[in-house]
Amino acid sequence: MRVLLTNDDGVRSAGIRAIRAALTGVCASVVTVAPDGNRSGFARKCTFDRPVGVRRLEGGPHPVYECDGTPTDCVRAGLLGGLAAEADLVVSGINHGANLADDVVYSGTVGAGLEAAVLGTSALCLSQQTPSGSLSVNYTEGDGPDYDFGLAARHGTGLAAAILRARPDETVVLSVNYPADPAAGT
């Protein structure tokens, strides 16, 4: 399984680190291309007015790149720029906060998945409710230690494998939200 991993919370966020650790345990290749900082709410924004910069942070079979653009730019750099051209699936997340109802329209996490689909690659978008259990966006909880991404990382990795085993006839985009309390999802 070859995965292009991105998000909208930034390449150093706890959510992307958790899903990356889980995916690298089962994937032949996980190429991470994620924003150099938080790009939450950027939806499908794509950069056209300047070159998008990409910088390699880690090498090996699971390289990590930071991008000075949006989540959509990250997917384009990965799939079209040769960093992860052979990816079987794009995984976006784990987002800090749920993406429900009309939040999906503004979500950079889901926007990255939609860009993958436009480019012909299925995507899995993962989000987790804030630690307080709020269903609204709460940036004050940010990247704090109260997030426990264990369930989302394990389950998300299983979903990624299931999508690839199913070999859907058409490109699919799944957006999955996890509860704040891991015990609520077991």
Side-chain angles (χ1 to χ4, degrees):
M1 179 165 61
R2 297 167 302 188
V3 169
L4 169 58
L5 177 61
T6 194
N7 72 355
D8 70 355
D9 292 315
V11 71
R12 291 169 185 82
S13 71
I16 202 169
R17 288 193 318 263
I19 189 62
R20 183 176 182 272
L23 288 168
T24 57
V26 300
C27 294
S29 172
V30 177
V31 177
T32 303
V33 183
D36 58 5
N38 190 316
R39 303 292 192 283
S40 294
F42 276 50
R44 299 287 314 285
K45 183 180 188 315
C46 193
T47 304
F48 295 108
D49 61 342
R50 64 172 175 80
V52 174
V54 176
R55 184 171 70 110
R56 188 178 190 149
L57 300 178
E58 295 179 32
H62 308 295
V64 176
Y65 299 88
E66 71 176 359
C67 174
D68 67 3
T70 68
T72 294
D73 294 331
C74 294
V75 171
R76 294 180 66 79
L79 296 179
L80 300 177
L83 302 175
E86 301 297 318
D88 302 305
L89 182 70
V90 170
V91 175
S92 183
I94 302 168
N95 189 63
H96 295 221
N99 277 305
L100 302 168
D102 62 346
D103 289 348
V104 171
V105 175
Y106 304 104
S107 169
T109 302
V110 177
L114 294 172
E115 186 65 21
V118 166
L119 298 176
T121 303
S122 290
L124 174 61
C125 308
L126 305 171
S127 302
Q128 183 170 310
Q129 188 179 27
T130 61
S132 67
S134 170
L135 293 177
S136 63
V137 175
N138 184 349
Y139 292 109
T140 61
E141 294 183 78
D143 202 25
D146 294 337
Y147 273 94
D148 179 351
F149 291 108
L151 170 69
R154 287 188 309 276
H155 188 263
T157 297
L159 276 177
I163 291 168
L164 292 174
R165 276 193 311 272
R167 303 173 122 192
D169 292 334
E170 296 184 21
T171 304
V172 299
V173 178
L174 297 177
S175 179
V176 180
N177 288 276
Y178 294 92
D181 180 0
T186 56

